[in-house]
Amino acid sequence: MNMKKKIMVVGCGRWGSFIAWYLDRVGHEVCLYGRKSSERMKQLLETRKNEYLSMPETVNLVTDYEQINEMDYVVVSVGAQSLQNVMTDLADCQIKEKTIILCMKGIEIGTGRRLSQITSDTLDYSNHVAVWLGPGHVQEFYRGVPNCMVIDSNDEAVKEEVVEQFSSNLIRFYYGTDLIGNEIGAAAKNVVGIAAGMLEGLDLSSLKGALMSRATNEISRLIVAMGGKPSTVYGLCHLGDYEATLFSPFSHNLAYGKSLVKKEDYGKLAEGYYTVKALRNLGKSYGVELPICQAVYNVIYENMDPDLALKSLFERSLKDEFLQQ
């Protein structure tokens, strides 16, 4: 690492609090922002703890953006559908010449924009945008279990700098080479996670292998149609994240899908709930058939019987599955 960076992490939830903890551990000067009204932030301010970790005293906890123009990097970790509001707030702060790193996964439902597009559309052109994606759970990182993740950006120099500044023995970062593919793949894996949870809930876990095979093919077609690379879906953003999303007991999307078919209240955010609607819209816009996404959408939004939705999905012929749209 060349030098200590000043970093503000925006978002004090599970992942945002971990990022602040991790970047402090790596050796940077970190502050964590959360809204004054946030119960999570109130808990951190009172105890410096949440259900996942203890926050070091070296991490400054703030409830305003007063220090943001002193920062080198701004790392954002909020729900995808809230990103536009956050970027509008940052634009109001007139931030310039900052590196904005999006550590979140999703697609804006109303516009179909990728998260890097929302950021670039809203902030001053002098700012740089990167994404931080890939597998891993806070619970495992916090107890020292290493993993591999990816940094991508349209700016090669920014990508190289962030990889160098953020890498450690806990997270090994790779250079992404397809911003479109990485963002779409990362968002889509949450939808596949919900489908996997539905299979578990119906005692059909043996079909997860078929689900993974079909899902990579399906999402690859969409990535290509949008201008990305077909092979990106097989990297850390999507296939490389399947273990953490389709099998881990820490996966919110998996748990949500399982609760859904069992008609139980899950009560936590599952980003795939929103993403599936955005993916369905993108599929229609680009003329790409997305049968897995459609099946998940039908169950969530159309109240289709999960058993019927999954049965119709897996009865599709191989010819249909491999058909290039």
Side-chain angles (χ1 to χ4, degrees):
M1 181 165 55
N2 291 332
M3 60 181 292
K4 179 184 289 190
K5 296 290 185 180
K6 290 185 177 182
I7 304 174
M8 178 177 285
V9 179
V10 176
C12 61
R14 174 183 49 146
W15 199 245
S17 60
F18 164 72
I19 294 166
W21 175 88
Y22 173 76
L23 294 176
D24 173 84
R25 180 182 185 270
V26 174
H28 296 294
E29 185 178 331
V30 181
C31 65
L32 174 63
Y33 167 85
R35 292 175 289 106
K36 289 181 181 179
S37 60
S38 166
E39 292 300 322
R40 292 169 176 165
M41 196 61 180
K42 289 177 183 177
Q43 182 181 354
L44 283 170
L45 287 167
E46 290 174 4
T47 67
R48 299 197 72 86
K49 295 180 180 180
N50 59 24
E51 61 182 302
Y52 304 104
L53 52 79
S54 295
M55 192 66 66
E57 293 291 339
T58 44
V59 174
N60 186 22
L61 303 177
V62 301
T63 57
D64 57 54
Y65 289 122
E66 187 175 335
Q67 303 175 47
I68 198 163
N69 283 299
E70 301 172 17
M71 300 295 123
D72 298 304
Y73 298 161
V74 178
V75 183
V76 182
S77 179
V78 299
Q81 307 312 314
S82 302
L83 182 61
Q84 180 61 73
N85 290 337
V86 171
M87 287 303 142
T88 299
D89 289 342
L90 297 189
D92 289 343
C93 295
Q94 299 183 334
I95 63 171
K96 295 182 179 181
E97 299 180 356
K98 309 295 180 192
T99 296
I100 314 298
I101 302 156
L102 305 174
C103 194
M104 46 197 290
K105 300 160 185 173
I107 303 163
E108 190 173 51
I109 294 173
T111 65
R113 288 185 297 174
R114 293 176 285 111
L115 304 187
S116 65
Q117 290 177 307
I118 296 172
T119 304
S120 297
D121 288 349
T122 310
L123 298 184
D124 184 88
Y125 70 92
S126 68
N127 295 292
H128 308 286
V129 183
V131 297
W132 169 350
L133 303 167
H137 288 292
V138 171
Q139 297 92 326
E140 293 176 333
F141 280 133
Y142 188 62
R143 66 184 180 90
V145 179
N147 215 323
C148 301
M149 303 187 82
V150 62
I151 300 290
D152 209 345
S153 174
N154 284 330
D155 188 316
E156 291 294 322
V158 167
K159 181 166 52 181
E160 292 176 8
E161 180 181 291
V162 174
V163 168
E164 181 179 351
Q165 294 291 342
F166 285 8
S167 291
S168 74
N169 59 357
L170 185 60
I171 302 179
R172 178 179 180 180
F173 286 99
Y174 287 82
Y175 300 97
T177 60
D178 176 15
L179 187 59
I180 292 173
N182 274 310
E183 288 193 88
I184 296 299
K189 66 93 188 178
N190 286 329
V191 175
V192 183
I194 291 177
M198 290 164 58
L199 289 174
E200 277 197 14
L202 294 170
D203 198 25
L204 295 171
S205 292
S206 61
L207 282 172
K208 283 187 182 179
L211 175 68
M212 291 188 290
S213 175
R214 301 276 34 89
T216 49
N217 185 266
E218 176 173 321
I219 302 305
S220 181
R221 292 199 304 267
L222 179 60
I223 288 172
V224 170
M226 294 179 67
K229 301 176 182 178
S231 60
T232 300
V233 75
Y234 301 103
L236 289 167
C237 77
H238 191 82
L239 180 61
D241 207 347
Y242 273 5
E243 190 281 331
T245 307
L246 277 65
F247 296 94
S248 172
F250 301 128
S251 170
H252 283 191
N253 290 283
L254 180 73
Y256 173 76
K258 189 173 182 178
S259 297
L260 185 67
V261 299
K262 288 180 171 291
K263 302 188 184 305
E264 300 171 350
D265 181 35
Y266 181 56
K268 292 185 179 180
L269 171 68
E271 189 64 53
Y273 172 90
Y274 305 102
T275 303
V276 71
K277 183 180 284 189
L279 284 173
R280 180 174 176 269
N281 292 340
L282 284 175
K284 289 183 176 181
S285 297
Y286 285 91
V288 178
E289 189 178 9
L290 303 174
I292 294 171
C293 294
Q294 184 65 53
V296 173
Y297 178 90
N298 288 343
V299 174
I300 293 176
Y301 291 100
E302 302 292 341
N303 296 315
M304 187 174 183
D305 178 74
D307 196 27
L308 179 62
L310 292 171
K311 183 178 180 181
S312 64
L313 178 64
F314 286 103
E315 283 181 348
R316 292 169 57 90
S317 72
L318 284 175
K319 180 179 179 181
D320 287 338
E321 286 297 305
F322 283 102
L323 183 64
Q324 298 298 310
Q325 299 296 318

